[in-house]
Amino acid sequence: MEKIHNFINGVYCEPKNGLYIDNYEPATGKVYCLIPDSDEIDVQNAVNAAEKAFPIWSKMTIEQRSDILVKVSKGIESRMDEFVAAESKDNGKPVSLAAHVDIPRAVSNFYFFATSIIHFASESHAMEGEGINYTLRKPIGIVGCISPWNLPLYLFSWKIAPALAAGNCVIAKPSEVTPYTAYLLGKVCEEAGMPAGVLNIIHGLGNRVGDAIVKHPKIKAISFTGGTKTGEYIARTAAPMFKKLSLELGGKNPNIIFDDCDFDEMLSTTLRSSFANQGQICLCGSRIFVQKGIYEKFKTAFVDRVSNLKISFPSDPKAKMGALVSLPHLEKVQSYIALAQEEGGKILTGGKRVFLDAPHENGYFLEPTVIEGLDYNCRTNQEEIFGPVVTLTPFETEEEVLKMANSTEYGLSATIWTSDLRRAHRLAEEIQAGVVWINAWLVRDLRTPFGGVKSSGVGREGGLEALRFFTEAKNVFVKY
Ligand code: NDP
């Protein structure tokens, strides 16, 4: 069986304890490779390597660092097919999604931060008659990047690229559930000429190797994307060490549809915002609120389109939906479908596990599921399910839908469909979310701030926000 390795000090290596974990292929339910079950010894080795590398990396000119990161971007691009196939196999997502979203966005992340660091400037503040302040922005040192399984390389690179561009050395941990493309990245970095120890990739369990990263005193900042509970634990652990923290956490996003929207555009985008990546995108709109005038029309059209979505094995180019990421996750999503029924919800379509033909008969496939008839305050409408399950709720007024939209503990993103621009702006201002799309979904400009409010996180990623996070500001005053 193939074994993947850690990437520490510029070389692929086994975990020091010699232990491995099974890696399952979601589309077959079978183990297809083994990943290191690393621990704090591997983290210590990575920190030692990063400490040695930091003076070299941080003292390089910005142009030299930028060149290397551009080469990483090009390196992924030149191995596009390999990365796409690996991501799709490891995660269960359709190959078309990995080819159009995941891997191209990882390429863009490296390219964007490789080039934006060249234009990154710090501030100066003149005090009339007294002197001038200028702000130095220095890299932090060694930073930890921990990412989830839903958009594996995309979110891994979203953290690593700005951290490296700003001159830091990185100890990174991908999700143990989807380690493969992070494993491939080591080779690309080596070929790009990145000095040994600048980027160290350690595989293993969150509560073992992830915890060791969070607790290590020499790792001065943690950028984490994942569940709210894990984020809470990380915040509690890191706070006494005064680490810098960026936490991108869960969501329960509203998709608000008014009578006056462009119906066809809304319908096809809502299909994607509900079920892309099997609903496993933190930005999916899982609570769909529809104004009463078009509720029945929307329900009929939406249910028809959803029930015709092609569920297939990920390498099928015609697949619109692939497998969920793991058996425990499938079971969690199924438990929410059962809960929705207990809470009085009616399943309009979906709800059942799908068994494909061999060799995919044990894959983790689930029908896209649409439920109506639930109170906006019930658990199904308040807790993050993170799967192909959406609820429909009718509303009459703007005030009513705003109250329902803002009722959860989360505040990551929101989508508003309307032709009334004044209403759109009004709602965008009132809605409790870090990202709002009006008549669109998942449009990303890498320069814009990204993150959530309430239990969806702390801090912002993206553009200058990320470069600011990964640097320490030092103000210097000079007297005239
Ligand atoms: P988890 O919180 O379970 O895991 C995220 C990462 O943290 C994984 O690499 C995991 O390791 C690691 N981890 C787990 N426990 C610890 C710990 N004690 N210390 C340090 N690291 C730890 O999230 P999921 O992987 O299940 O991802 C799904 C969640 O991510 C959803 O809630 C989703 O909303 C959220 N998310 C948020 C986004 C945002 O931008 N706000 C974007 C994408 C997802 P391992 O899994 O290997 O054990």
Side-chain angles (χ1 to χ4, degrees):
M1 173 101 33
E2 186 190 7
K3 279 182 180 166
I4 71 171
H5 294 113
N6 290 331
F7 183 72
I8 298 176
N9 203 21
V11 288
Y12 282 115
C13 52
E14 306 233 352
K16 280 285 173 257
N17 60 20
L19 300 176
Y20 283 83
I21 312 166
D22 291 337
N23 187 21
Y24 290 84
E25 181 182 356
T28 61
K30 295 200 177 97
V31 177
Y32 82 101
C33 72
L34 300 175
I35 78 158
D37 185 4
S38 312
D39 60 25
E40 64 279 3
I41 296 174
D42 305 291
V43 172
Q44 185 58 53
N45 288 340
V47 169
N48 295 344
E51 261 190 312
K52 277 203 206 114
F54 182 65
I56 302 165
W57 185 243
S58 58
K59 295 269 172 338
M60 271 186 182
T61 64
I62 287 174
E63 286 73 17
Q64 283 170 323
R65 279 207 303 268
S66 171
D67 272 358
I68 291 173
L69 294 174
V70 167
K71 282 186 188 141
V72 173
S73 168
K74 303 270 182 227
I76 301 171
E77 199 171 25
S78 69
R79 293 158 161 241
M80 182 61 80
D81 293 347
E82 185 187 1
F83 272 95
V84 164
E87 200 71 295
S88 163
K89 181 169 183 168
D90 211 20
N91 175 276
K93 67 180 68 206
V95 78
S96 57
L97 190 70
H100 288 105
V101 178
D102 292 79
I103 308 304
R105 289 208 181 187
V107 169
S108 306
N109 287 343
F110 274 106
Y111 191 77
F112 174 81
F113 285 108
T115 47
S116 62
I117 193 67
I118 295 173
H119 309 283
F120 186 46
S122 58
E123 311 83 35
S124 92
H125 301 90
M127 296 171 77
E128 219 170 298
E130 281 199 64
I132 188 158
N133 297 278
Y134 64 89
T135 309
L136 291 176
R137 288 209 164 258
K138 310 293 277 178
I140 298 170
I142 307 174
V143 301
C145 297
I146 302 176
S147 59
W149 47 257
N150 64 325
L151 302 165
L153 191 67
Y154 175 0
L155 292 179
F156 198 59
S157 55
W158 182 235
K159 298 180 175 306
I160 290 170
L164 294 173
N168 300 286
C169 290
V170 175
I171 315 294
K173 190 197 100 60
S175 169
E176 146 251 332
V177 185
T178 53
Y180 208 97
T181 46
Y183 166 57
L184 295 177
L185 183 64
K187 182 90 189 132
V188 172
C189 290
E190 192 198 331
E191 285 170 4
M194 189 180 285
V198 169
L199 173 63
N200 303 278
I201 301 167
I202 311 186
H203 300 276
L205 297 169
N207 57 14
R208 189 192 296 233
V209 69
D211 200 40
I213 292 173
V214 174
K215 286 183 174 156
H216 200 290
K218 289 194 172 158
I219 300 179
K220 297 292 183 199
I222 302 288
S223 173
F224 168 81
T225 300
T228 295
K229 276 219 158 61
T230 317
E232 192 186 312
Y233 172 79
I234 290 176
R236 232 182 305 122
T237 310
M241 288 176 272
F242 307 109
K243 295 192 181 200
K244 255 184 138 176
L245 281 183
S246 168
L247 304 173
E248 299 295 337
L249 310 176
K252 186 75 179 175
N253 311 308
N255 177 6
I256 302 171
I257 301 168
F258 285 93
D259 287 350
D260 64 354
C261 68
D262 177 330
F263 190 85
D264 293 340
E265 198 184 342
M266 173 279 295
L267 186 65
S268 51
T269 305
T270 295
L271 208 62
R272 284 195 303 118
S273 67
S274 303
F275 300 115
N277 205 36
Q278 296 70 249
Q280 303 166 133
I281 299 182
C282 53
L283 304 164
C284 278
S286 53
R287 293 179 297 147
I288 306 179
F289 298 102
V290 189
Q291 207 167 17
K292 283 209 170 126
I294 57 164
Y295 185 81
E296 288 304 321
K297 178 182 172 191
F298 171 79
K299 181 168 113 179
T300 309
F302 186 59
V303 166
D304 178 55
R305 294 279 292 270
V306 172
S307 51
N308 283 311
L309 280 174
K310 185 172 167 63
I311 305 168
S312 188
F313 51 92
S315 56
D316 178 352
K318 295 210 176 101
K320 290 284 180 228
M321 293 201 36
L324 271 68
V325 77
S326 68
L327 188 56
H329 190 60
L330 170 72
E331 288 168 351
K332 178 195 152 188
V333 176
Q334 285 177 307
S335 78
Y336 272 101
I337 296 172
L339 173 71
Q341 289 167 289
E342 281 164 32
E343 290 185 317
K346 180 178 166 209
I347 296 182
L348 299 175
T349 183
K352 291 192 287 301
R353 187 168 171 181
V354 177
F355 296 93
L356 301 181
D357 293 339
H360 303 106
E361 69 277 23
N362 294 319
Y364 316 135
F365 299 92
L366 183 66
E367 289 174 340
T369 304
V370 182
I371 303 170
E372 74 167 353
L374 287 166
D375 191 88
Y376 77 94
N377 251 332
C378 71
R379 280 185 56 204
T380 310
N381 268 330
Q382 293 290 315
E383 296 176 15
E384 185 184 44
I385 301 174
F386 212 54
V389 179
V390 296
T391 61
L392 304 189
T393 307
F395 72 91
E396 256 169 281
T397 66
E398 205 176 302
E399 293 69 35
E400 184 191 5
V401 76
L402 187 64
K403 179 178 160 203
M404 295 195 285
N406 284 343
S407 67
T408 73
E409 65 164 309
Y410 297 105
L412 189 53
S413 73
T415 305
I416 302 165
W417 292 96
T418 180
S419 305
D420 180 344
L421 262 187
R422 280 191 293 186
R423 169 160 68 196
H425 289 304
R426 226 171 20 237
L427 266 179
E429 200 174 314
E430 294 297 327
I431 217 143
Q432 293 164 355
V435 180
V436 179
W437 283 289
I438 296 168
N439 300 325
W441 179 71
L442 208 64
V443 177
R444 290 283 297 124
D445 177 330
L446 302 189
R447 295 168 300 178
T448 60
F450 177 85
V453 299
K454 303 200 282 188
S455 299
S456 289
V458 177
R460 291 293 178 272
E461 296 186 326
L464 298 182
E465 302 278 348
L467 294 176
R468 288 197 188 108
F469 174 77
F470 284 115
T471 49
E472 284 288 7
K474 181 192 285 180
N475 193 69
V476 181
F477 174 75
V478 190
K479 199 170 183 306
Y480 285 148

